[in-house]
Amino acid sequence: MGNTEVHFDALDDCAGAAKKASVDFGTLAETYPAQFTFRSQPSSSALTAAINTLAEKVGEVEKSVDSEMGWAMNRLGGVALSLPTVGERIRGVKYPDVNG
């Protein structure tokens, strides 16, 4: 590895930050979809139709946001799990006697 200086604490800190962000995305994703409700009134059919259309669009946006949050949560979780392995492998190459 030549003169490459590895900061294992930085790897550990990054893994911790990624894990926290993954959990935060998961917590935020639990708030979706927002429960959008509207009780229609028989005399307001045009308003009811407009509200229903809006509710459908809001639902589509919430599904998209939920999907994106899930993707981010999974990727960050993968980073959090992978960084310790990176550190272990570097330690094994740079300091083989330490891990044995």
Side-chain angles (χ1 to χ4, degrees), residues 22-35 57-75:
S22 174
V23 170
D24 290 346
F25 269 103
T27 302
L28 185 59
E30 289 173 4
T31 64
Y32 285 90
Q35 298 302 313
K57 296 299 180 188
V58 167
E60 291 172 12
V61 169
E62 287 179 336
K63 284 180 186 177
S64 178
V65 168
D66 187 50
S67 174
E68 292 297 319
M69 285 185 182
W71 182 89
M73 183 179 72
N74 288 333
R75 294 303 183 267

Side-chain angles (χ1 to χ4, degrees), residues 1-99:
M1 291 183 65
N3 292 327
T4 303
E5 187 65 33
V6 178
H7 296 278
F8 295 109
D9 289 341
L11 286 173
D12 293 341
D13 290 347
C14 286
K19 183 175 182 178
K20 182 185 179 316
S22 174
V23 170
D24 290 346
F25 269 103
T27 302
L28 185 59
E30 289 173 4
T31 64
Y32 285 90
Q35 298 302 313
F36 184 84
T37 59
F38 175 78
R39 296 197 175 156
S40 60
Q41 302 296 320
S43 61
S44 60
S45 61
L47 178 59
T48 299
I51 296 287
N52 288 338
T53 300
L54 176 61
E56 288 175 17
K57 296 299 180 188
V58 167
E60 291 172 12
V61 169
E62 287 179 336
K63 284 180 186 177
S64 178
V65 168
D66 187 50
S67 174
E68 292 297 319
M69 285 185 182
W71 182 89
M73 183 179 72
N74 288 333
R75 294 303 183 267
L76 287 167
V79 169
L81 292 174
S82 299
L83 284 174
T85 303
V86 170
E88 289 170 13
R89 290 188 177 172
I90 292 171
R91 282 183 183 97
V93 170
K94 190 167 184 175
Y95 310 105
D97 296 334
V98 173
N99 292 329

